[in-house]
Amino acid sequence: MPIASVNPATGETLETFEELDAAGIEQRLARAEAAFRTYRTTSFAHRAQLLRRAADLLDEDREAVSRTMTEEMGKPLTAARAEAAKCAKAMRWYAENAEALLADEHPDPADVADAGAARAYVRYRPIGAVLAVMPWNFPFWQVIRFAAPALMAGNVGLLKHASNVPRTAVALEELFVRAGFPEGCFQTLLIGSRAVDGVIRDRRVAAVTLTGSEPAGRAVAATAADEVKKAVLELGGSDPFVVLPSADLDAAVRTAVRARAQNNGQSCIAAKRFIVHADVYEPFTAAFAGAMRALKVGDPMEEATEVGPLASRQGRDDLEELVEDAKKHGARVECGGRRPEGFDAGWFYEPTVLTGITPAMRIHQEETFGPVATVYRAADLDEAVAMANDTPFGLSSNVWTDDPAEQERFVRDIEAGGVFFNGMTASHPALPFGGVKRSGFGRELSGHGIKEFCNVTTVWVA
């Protein structure tokens, strides 16, 4: 796709960008290599000072940054402001905690004495330039949750952002430059997907992290493996939202609506499959469909809008195909199921709830990236667990129950990178984020995330 900023609420092309040629890519790779030589030797205190300055600037720029995000990918302006605030918080968290997270580790001297060591320890050292291939759905947050730990560890960053959010990509580089990071520490590469393979293979790129689709993840992982380079992948998700009889139904319904409609339904960790115990299936489904039906769809720049457009025409069309396929095979539409009336332009789709889902429907196994929920009836706890795991993905999960035994059952048996009880699934800088199965491998955030791109060095002293 061309590198262009297109307003999904109107279809208007706001700005187009020239793709970097081979000389432009080479120039930026050379800068990254030169920057790493010196930046890797800087102190944690110095890096923290720069990152805190970036957080302060982002707070100052919040309104402008939020409007750029909304114009480029259509999320409600209120959600864009919350995303910018979350990014500043994460940068401050890593500025405060990175040194402790990467502190030298010292085993008991008695444990290494038989190896002839007077002392031994482990040090976490930076590895170099890390390429980040990032998506459009959280255009600031996805980048910051890679950049903040990478920069605090002493690495340098190269960003290949989604081609439909180039203004955001440019703003991210400018943020780090204005904060005082040395030239080459964080650079945006305005390139298409076909150029990614060559960048990964370049000797100056040490590792790659990708958040995106499963096909994109497969391609990036294959290239990284061929070059024997570290990769972290966060791919799709089809997260279950399980409701059991002991749940607070009112709270579960409120959270279910937020979980499915957040970011216009375009979130990897959004709840997508709602698995409800038979004892509470009818009241939950009726309340959930009613609340989804009541959501205000409209111009994402308006403060009252709760659901804006899909980020692209292709995204809207793909979602529509999944719903039409489900309807063709007998799914029942509890609400929505079509494009809303009154929108002559833009890529809008009504908040939708489908029931009667069967394995014959594509939507049973494919990820729905938009405000469409599928609801299943589970006869008992065992069936609820089985249904929750009946997906090729394993990013996160959400379970509503006050029963400690049921909670422990899901902790033990859920095939996912996270399980959230009686609350909204979310990412947080202090907690690891990532999945299993076809949702990828490796972790972002927390101490686990910052260590992904470190050289874990054993130091042995006789």
Side-chain angles (χ1 to χ4, degrees):
M1 63 186 297
I3 300 177
S5 179
V6 180
N7 187 335
T10 64
E12 175 192 2
T13 298
L14 304 173
E15 188 176 2
T16 58
F17 293 76
E18 287 294 324
E19 186 173 339
L20 283 177
D21 59 14
I25 296 172
E26 168 60 29
Q27 182 184 55
R28 283 158 178 78
L29 289 172
R31 284 179 188 161
E33 182 182 39
F36 178 65
R37 291 195 195 105
T38 54
Y39 184 70
R40 61 184 292 273
T41 66
T42 59
S43 67
F44 282 107
H46 178 66
R47 298 170 201 165
Q49 181 182 25
L50 297 176
L51 197 59
R52 288 191 183 98
R53 175 59 178 155
D56 292 343
L57 288 171
L58 183 53
D59 280 340
E60 294 172 10
D61 296 346
R62 184 180 304 168
E63 190 64 21
V65 163
S66 300
R67 288 184 174 275
T68 296
M69 287 191 276
T70 296
E71 286 177 346
E72 286 198 307
M73 56 72 59
K75 71 171 66 214
L77 185 57
T78 52
R81 292 184 186 121
E83 179 174 339
K86 182 176 183 175
C87 290
K89 178 181 177 180
M91 285 192 281
R92 293 188 178 102
W93 189 89
Y94 270 108
E96 179 69 26
N97 293 285
E99 184 171 9
L101 294 172
L102 298 179
D104 291 350
E105 296 176 3
H106 298 269
D108 188 325
D111 290 338
V112 295
D114 61 350
R119 63 189 178 96
Y121 59 94
V122 175
R123 176 161 295 177
Y124 294 94
R125 298 190 293 151
I127 59 174
V130 181
L131 172 66
V133 182
M134 292 289 111
W136 47 261
N137 56 334
F138 291 94
F140 248 79
W141 171 241
Q142 301 280 11
V143 176
I144 293 301
R145 76 185 195 192
F146 136 75
L151 291 169
M152 282 305 301
N155 295 308
V156 298
L158 295 165
L159 170 64
K160 186 281 183 233
H161 219 325
S163 295
N164 61 330
V165 289
R167 286 180 169 179
T168 302
V170 171
L172 280 155
E173 178 177 327
E174 291 175 348
L175 175 69
F176 289 109
V177 170
R178 290 165 55 212
F181 281 90
E183 182 184 42
C185 275
F186 185 94
Q187 300 175 89
T188 285
L189 305 179
L190 289 177
I191 58 176
S193 57
R194 286 177 296 181
V196 170
D197 183 88
V199 175
I200 297 172
R201 293 185 186 280
D202 191 280
R203 64 168 181 80
R204 292 162 292 191
V205 173
V208 59
T209 179
L210 175 141
T211 298
S213 68
E214 184 183 340
R218 287 178 181 273
V220 163
T223 301
D226 193 46
E227 294 293 327
V228 197
K229 293 182 179 181
K230 180 68 177 288
V232 169
L233 303 181
E234 191 263 278
L235 308 179
S238 188
D239 289 6
F241 186 106
V242 181
V243 183
L244 297 172
S246 65
D248 178 336
L249 281 191
D250 289 341
V253 168
R254 288 194 302 270
T255 305
V257 174
R258 288 176 52 221
R260 181 66 289 235
Q262 65 166 326
N263 211 43
N264 306 338
Q266 300 164 122
S267 171
C268 296
I269 58 168
K272 300 181 177 78
R273 299 175 299 125
F274 296 80
I275 299 163
V276 187
H277 192 283
D279 290 353
V280 292
Y281 177 87
E282 297 296 343
F284 174 87
T285 303
F288 180 43
M292 288 283 282
R293 188 184 299 112
L295 290 171
K296 179 175 173 54
V297 178
D299 181 349
M301 284 293 187
E302 295 182 0
E303 299 289 339
T305 294
E306 296 171 293
V307 178
L310 278 296
S312 68
R313 182 190 301 274
Q314 186 63 55
R316 193 272 312 278
D317 292 350
D318 290 346
L319 185 70
E320 194 170 48
E321 283 183 14
L322 286 177
V323 173
E324 291 304 312
D325 174 78
K327 289 159 65 175
K328 176 182 175 182
H329 288 88
R332 178 178 173 181
V333 179
E334 304 292 342
C335 69
R338 62 181 183 178
R339 302 180 190 181
E341 297 178 356
F343 293 89
D344 297 327
W347 304 309
F348 294 88
Y349 199 80
E350 287 188 353
T352 299
V353 175
L354 303 177
T355 57
I357 306 300
T358 69
M361 303 170 188
R362 289 173 54 199
I363 206 167
H364 179 68
Q365 288 291 314
E366 296 183 32
E367 181 179 18
T368 52
F369 224 58
V372 174
T374 54
V375 185
Y376 298 78
R377 184 194 302 263
D380 53 29
L381 177 63
D382 289 339
E383 187 172 33
V385 173
M387 285 180 168
N389 289 333
D390 185 21
T391 173
F393 301 106
L395 191 54
S396 193
S397 59
N398 199 280
V399 180
W400 288 75
T401 174
D402 285 333
D403 186 327
E406 290 177 342
Q407 292 177 358
E408 183 54 36
R409 173 71 185 278
F410 274 93
V411 172
R412 187 190 73 185
D413 291 343
I414 193 69
E415 296 170 359
V419 55
F420 288 70
F421 293 104
N422 304 326
M424 183 84 165
T425 301
S427 54
H428 187 281
L431 297 171
F433 183 86
V436 295
K437 298 161 73 171
R438 292 188 181 179
S439 289
F441 50 75
R443 291 294 182 268
E444 296 177 290
L445 300 175
S446 76
H448 297 276
I450 197 171
K451 292 173 182 175
E452 287 282 5
F453 298 119
C454 287
N455 176 358
V456 185
T457 308
T458 297
V459 180
W460 184 94
V461 182

